[in-house]
Amino acid sequence: MPLGSVETKLSGQRLGAPDTLGISTLDPGHRPPTMPPGRHVTIRVRMLDDTEEVFDISQKASGKVLFDLVCSHMNLIEGDYFGLEFQNHQKMMVWLDHIKPIIKQLRRPKHTILRFAVKFFPPDHAQLLEELTRYLFALQIKQDLSCGRLTCNDSSAALMVSHIIQSEIGDFEESQCRSHLLNNNYIPDQMPLIDKIMEFHSKNIGHTPAESDFQLLEVARCLEMYGIRLHPAKDREGTVLSLAVAHTGVLVFQGHTKINAFNWSKVRKLSFKRKRFLIKLRPDLNSSYQDTLEFLMASRDCCKVFWKICVEYHAFFRLFEEPKPKPKPVLFTRGSSFRFSGRTQKQVIDYVRESDFKKIPFERKHSRVQHNSRLSPLPSPRHQEVPREVSVVSNSPHLSASSGHSHGMVNGQKSLELCSHSPNGRQPSPLTSPLLNDAGSVRTDDEDEVRRKRFPTDRAYFIAKELLTTERTYLKDLEVITSFQSAVGHDEATPDSLKNAILSTFEPLHKFHTGFLREVEQRLALWEGRSNAHIKGDYQRIGDVMLKNLQGLKPLTVNLHKQSEILLELEKACRASHKLEGLCRDFELQKVCYIPLNVFILRPLHRLIHYKQILERLCKHYLATHVDFRDCRAALADVSEVVEQLQGNLIKMENFQKLLELKKDLIGVDNLVVPGRVSLKHPHEFIRLGCLSKLSGKGLQQRMFFLFSDVILYTSRGMTATNQFKVHGQLPLHGMTIRVSEDEWGVPHAFTLVGQHQSVVVAASSLTEMEKWMEDLKMAIEMAKTSNGPSYDLLTSNETDNSLVEAESEDDMTPSHTSLEKPALHRGNTMVHVCWHRNTSVSMVDFSIAVENQLSGNLLRKFKNSNGWQKLWVVFTNFSLFFYKSHQDDYPLASLPLLGYSVTIPSESENIHKDYVFKLHFKSHIYYFRTESEYSFERYGSFYHLLSYLLAKLVYINVLDFLKLFCYIRVMKYLAYCIP
């Protein structure tokens, strides 16, 4: 190749490669690079709000030093989407190179104005996790509209302007809106569209500035010219064209119409030779030759500028980590040494989700709306690190502005892991970090050791104590249902049959278990020696208490098989009455309802299984001659009989409960919960949900998939107050096949779902995730072959016939009617959202295991960099730890979802010189927990190990019958309790 030619091969680590963490100069705790010595110059930077900022910097400093100063000034975390552009000596607009010194790029720094602008436009604005980032993107869209760069039809333009003025002047008022539009031009030919803009503006009432930014980006991202920067060129025949680059690849335009696109997966090499820009494509599967396309540009420099942008776009969106620099040649250079410098999009998203940093308010200079500035970062000279332990000064949903940083609420609970913000300010992330107020909690070390030594050390005592602690939690759960009955029971919208069913089932249970808990507490007090009674062997047992109470409980369990009727009756009543539906939703958002409401309804069934497990452990521990053995064995026989009778019905109800929960998380599904879909005769069951990357014309995009026994849905997450997932399409399983597609697409862990009418290419985050999905899909496909039941169309009736095609055209960009209304609040901490943030999946079998196993009790907790231990009451259920100050609290103060976490024992280097300590860690998040006994240590540690083991090994189970799969796992679970 001639020395003047330059090329780059499009290769490197792709999405799905092993996880790595990039280090940014903006990371908390990492200072920007030291300013090199030399003469300083003053550089002006024009920001996206048209203000100018001045920065004093050494001429020898690299471009990245200046760029980091700009981002630090704004407290911009996701700065990697942006860049600094300027006009070079050839009158061409170019991006400031991060690696080269400024003196080599700016000939006259004092007389050059750099523009801060969006450089990389992601396919989905939901990937922008910070409100400040979305605000800056909105300003960029506003500029592109104004200068005519973002072309679109009149309806699209009017709709976008309506969102802009909603952010700037607030809710619609006719005279004010018209006056504002007459004095401000947002699009080149605005006058004929004023009435249309006002009509759209009147539908935006109630939208905050952050929501308006989101809706603006929602419309803009669907336009063909979104983020497009045209570079003039000609083809071999001399036809005038334009080249552009996007996250998907290289695009060809004629005027403002896209006429061709070359996806990154199809491009083997990009290069330029003098004025010729070359695209070498991968060979076609049916042909052996390689096709090279050639475009003629105005000059070599024009080619090089465009080539550089292509290199950066490819690296940012396609590579997993920043490419390493090539070794310098010994004798002479060959071509350009340019490379992409900075974090890739994957690294940016991972960094923001995993980092702890303070949210500092910022002022919207173009907005007259009084909005909650608590939600947004403020320009700051540097980032501030969040201390590991934060004092919570209020239990109200919104902390005072003087608190310095915001702690969002998730379902009424403190959500202190500072991740992405939804447009309305509520944190959608369910990854709640358990940072509690230390003031009300006891920090204890040696005094707890002394207290522990006073109590019995017999294993039977700790088993009995587990009965006590979990019974306290169970009684609280029953109180949630009785509170719900009181909340809706006096409303005329609640059917009498539903009132009577709840009242007749749960009131007697609550009364009974109140007395049962009192007896267990009294027995444990005698066992511990905390009463005046003489401690004899007669008091060091629990089997007699359990036998007596289980026999008394037996008459109350005869109606438990009707709990599915309560779930169905509640669902029907909510469908028939919007008022009752609102009452249920409001109740579920209360702090006491820390898990989905209908899970509480199934608690009595799960509690019987808990009793069975406790009695099995006692019988295994005791010798046959022990005074308590006979009573424990008799109690075990009684509860086993009841559990066996209810087991089949429990599987059906758990599936129904999960369908009801998923219905609340999905938008665009009409027939998810219908009688036929929950019938055991026609096993249309929920099987697995989780994240996969879907390959489309926009590249790889994160999607949430929902697998049922007859169909698989794929959805995207909305950044709205509802925190719901919008269904994009469905694939029937009947006739589907699966093939591994890593080699075909060059993406790790990729496989193709080949349906009768359409194929979808997806990629999992890891090999294990891919195997789980493929195994469950194969099982579901086999079930679909043998099932004689009907196949349901789950999408709503207003979906188009071509429902499998995602909305990508300009005609589909207008938000749905529901997006223009003020949405109702929605739970944001369900497992669906946890799977989304942790990029993992969970099956119905996993849910069944987790919901039936619950632990409660006191734990001592320590953070990685703290000294003392904090005593907390902890409930472990539904894959999560819920933290309370004491067992008397009515609701948890924080929670920690454990999907993705690992449990280990601390190493010597961690200096945790205490007994019974286990460590929970997920990437950079580390927590230490101490239990009071070896038994409790085994229960927390071993159970989590067992859960992790089952979750990992499920992929190797090849069972065609879904019900047999449930039975297999339950047998495995019960056998596991026999493992010491």
Side-chain angles (χ1 to χ4, degrees), residues 756-774:
Q756 292 182 336
H757 303 291
Q758 188 189 3
S759 299
V760 174
V761 181
V762 295
S765 59
S766 66
L767 177 62
T768 302
E769 279 293 307
M770 183 182 78
E771 290 175 337
K772 288 180 182 180
W773 275 106
M774 291 186 67

Side-chain angles (χ1 to χ4, degrees), residues 339-352:
R339 69 177 178 88
F340 171 75
S341 173
R343 294 180 295 191
T344 66
Q345 186 192 32
K346 179 68 167 59
Q347 289 176 306
V348 174
I349 292 174
D350 287 345
Y351 167 70
V352 176

Side-chain angles (χ1 to χ4, degrees), residues 370-396:
Q370 295 296 322
H371 65 285
N372 193 355
S373 61
R374 177 185 64 84
L375 308 174
S376 311
L378 174 72
S380 171
R382 67 182 185 277
H383 291 283
Q384 302 182 47
E385 196 168 3
V386 173
R388 274 294 182 181
E389 301 185 26
V390 184
S391 295
V392 179
V393 298
S394 171
N395 288 330
S396 63

Side-chain angles (χ1 to χ4, degrees), residues 36-263:
R39 187 167 65 90
H40 280 223
V41 293
T42 299
I43 295 180
R44 290 182 295 165
V45 177
R46 180 167 296 160
M47 313 305 284
L48 282 166
D49 60 359
D50 293 328
T51 61
E52 285 191 7
E53 301 290 343
V54 178
F55 297 91
D56 187 65
I57 194 169
S58 169
Q59 286 192 45
K60 296 182 180 180
S62 67
K64 182 166 177 55
V65 173
L66 174 60
F67 182 73
D68 284 350
L69 283 176
V70 175
C71 291
S72 180
H73 171 74
M74 292 187 290
N75 200 22
L76 178 62
I77 307 298
E78 298 173 294
D80 304 77
Y81 289 101
F82 302 85
L84 297 172
E85 59 178 354
F86 64 97
Q87 193 176 59
N88 64 9
H89 64 284
Q90 296 173 320
K91 306 300 182 182
M92 296 173 57
M93 293 302 295
V94 297
W95 294 103
L96 186 72
D97 193 317
H98 283 193
I99 298 178
K100 286 185 178 180
I102 291 176
I103 195 173
K104 291 187 177 181
Q105 301 186 67
L106 305 181
R107 285 192 172 183
R108 304 174 65 189
K110 291 184 179 179
H111 303 282
T112 302
I113 298 179
L114 286 83
R115 294 195 310 177
F116 180 81
V118 176
K119 188 175 185 179
F120 302 113
F121 290 80
D124 187 355
H125 54 291
Q127 295 172 331
L128 306 175
L129 305 180
E130 289 286 295
E131 183 190 334
L132 174 58
T133 312
R134 293 192 293 271
Y135 169 61
L136 295 174
F137 264 74
L139 291 179
Q140 182 70 66
I141 297 303
K142 180 182 173 183
Q143 284 189 7
D144 291 351
L145 271 175
S146 178
C147 70
R149 178 185 285 171
L150 182 57
T151 58
C152 57
N153 60 33
D154 289 347
S155 294
S156 304
L159 183 59
M160 287 189 285
V161 173
S162 74
H163 291 306
I164 294 173
I165 62 176
Q166 173 70 22
S167 173
E168 294 186 359
I169 67 175
D171 288 344
F172 176 75
E173 198 281 315
E174 185 173 359
S175 60
Q176 180 194 28
C177 179
R178 186 175 296 277
S179 174
H180 183 79
L181 289 172
L182 290 174
N183 292 312
N184 296 273
N185 284 323
Y186 295 99
I187 49 180
D189 192 14
Q190 181 172 291
M191 286 299 295
L193 296 179
I194 286 184
D195 290 338
K196 201 175 190 80
I197 294 171
M198 293 175 63
E199 178 186 352
F200 282 128
H201 185 203
S202 65
K203 298 178 181 178
N204 296 337
I205 292 176
H207 286 190
T208 65
E211 289 172 328
S212 298
D213 292 346
F214 185 88
Q215 295 296 343
L216 172 64
L217 297 178
E218 178 74 20
V219 179
R221 76 182 182 100
C222 299
L223 299 175
E224 194 163 69
M225 295 300 295
Y226 170 68
I228 297 300
R229 304 293 184 259
L230 298 176
H231 297 258
K234 295 180 180 179
D235 62 11
R236 288 178 177 177
E237 286 74 33
T239 306
V240 177
L241 303 170
S242 295
L243 298 180
V245 62
H247 62 278
T248 55
V250 181
L251 312 177
V252 183
F253 284 81
Q254 194 165 31
H256 288 88
T257 303
K258 183 172 65 176
I259 62 173
N260 211 342
F262 305 104
N263 196 286

Side-chain angles (χ1 to χ4, degrees), residues 291-334:
D291 193 8
T292 300
L293 302 171
E294 182 178 309
F295 297 90
L296 189 66
M297 305 190 81
S299 65
R300 179 186 184 277
D301 289 331
C302 291
C303 273
K304 187 173 183 178
V305 166
F306 182 62
W307 173 80
K308 283 184 174 182
I309 297 173
C310 291
V311 170
E312 293 184 308
Y313 251 85
H314 174 267
F316 184 74
F317 287 107
R318 289 282 286 182
L319 300 189
F320 201 80
E321 61 182 1
E322 178 182 354
K324 296 178 174 59
K326 296 179 180 179
K328 293 184 178 180
V330 178
L331 297 178
F332 56 87
T333 60
R334 186 182 184 188

